[in-house]
Amino acid sequence: IDMARLSLLVAVAAVSSTAAFSVSENNNAVSRRETFGKAASLIAGAASIVASPASSLAEVTDETPKVTTRMGGLLEKYQDSRGWTILAPSGWNSFDGEVGAYDKKWQDLVSQTDNVKISSTPVKSTTTSVDILGPVEDVGKSLASKRSAKLIAALERQTDGILFYTFDFALDDGTHQLLQLCVNKGKIWSVDANTLEKSYAKKKDLYYNILGSFMPKLN
């Protein structure tokens, strides 16, 4: 695979969204957090035209168990009829899919900035792993650079045979986002968790546990 071409495809996909970058209290503008969530769908288009994963990438073989802690009741198990499970925030409002935005969303009762969304986009059957996008650090830097965000961390893990990429972003609009990508069952899945930067320290453990609990299949 021509990795330079693949990187270009990812970069083009990342900037192809026409969503506004500003945060709007009345929700008339799509926030930069929403744009990050849509990045997975855009990247899926790039990934679908690549025939096979890059053989030069190091393979993650160590298994990391799925997160199962409910953090003393802060999280509750949610099983979706479309074939995935997650530990969702207890007591938050939940919303079913909005076309072109998300499959499922949870939002804090008080702060609308605090939300978790799950999205999925079909990919070709030959796309079987998120590593087709390239090394996790490169993907994270590409996503961050196109949105004037700071990449805090880019992590990869394998859970139940599925490779997950997780990115930690500090955005210049005063918000913070965790974004997780994986491929399974002919789809690329994204989970993004968002909050204000000033609230992130309190939300960090909760959000990492939510992302670590997501599984795009039923066990």
Side-chain angles (χ1 to χ4, degrees), residues 124-138:
K124 288 187 176 180
S125 60
T126 51
T127 303
T128 58
S129 174
V130 70
D131 67 3
I132 200 169
L133 298 177
V136 63
E137 187 76 21
D138 291 351

Side-chain angles (χ1 to χ4, degrees), residues 24-199:
S24 173
E25 292 298 331
N26 60 14
N27 293 324
N28 287 332
V30 179
S31 72
R32 192 172 295 181
R33 298 183 305 278
E34 299 284 346
T35 303
F36 264 120
K38 291 180 181 179
S41 298
L42 295 166
I43 290 174
S48 67
I49 68 173
V50 181
S52 60
S55 59
S56 61
L57 298 178
E59 183 178 358
V60 178
T61 56
D62 293 338
E63 279 279 325
T64 300
K66 182 177 71 171
V67 171
T68 58
T69 177
R70 301 195 182 189
M71 301 185 71
L74 293 178
L75 299 174
E76 57 187 11
K77 185 176 181 180
Y78 176 83
Q79 179 171 306
D80 194 88
S81 60
R82 289 163 288 191
W84 52 266
T85 61
I86 196 171
L87 291 178
S90 300
W92 287 23
N93 288 326
S94 63
F95 304 90
D96 289 328
E98 180 179 311
V99 177
Y102 56 82
D103 296 346
K104 187 74 177 181
K105 177 181 178 180
W106 288 268
Q107 185 170 281
D108 184 70
L109 295 174
V110 177
S111 173
Q112 294 185 2
T113 308
D114 294 352
N115 61 76
V116 176
K117 299 188 298 296
I118 297 176
S119 306
S120 63
T121 300
V123 295
K124 288 187 176 180
S125 60
T126 51
T127 303
T128 58
S129 174
V130 70
D131 67 3
I132 200 169
L133 298 177
V136 63
E137 187 76 21
D138 291 351
V139 177
K141 289 178 179 178
S142 176
L143 288 171
S145 66
K146 301 305 177 184
R147 288 162 178 77
S148 300
K150 181 180 180 182
L151 178 64
I152 306 300
L155 310 170
E156 59 183 332
R157 63 177 168 85
Q158 180 172 285
T159 300
D160 204 6
I162 300 174
L163 182 64
F164 294 82
Y165 279 4
T166 302
F167 308 102
D168 186 333
F169 297 109
L171 286 72
D172 65 1
D173 63 0
T175 60
H176 204 107
Q177 181 185 72
L178 297 183
L179 171 65
Q180 179 175 274
L181 304 175
C182 70
V183 173
N184 193 51
K185 298 190 300 186
K187 293 182 178 181
I188 184 165
W189 300 81
S190 74
V191 183
D192 62 275
N194 311 277
T195 189
L196 292 174
E197 184 63 50
K198 63 182 180 181
S199 304

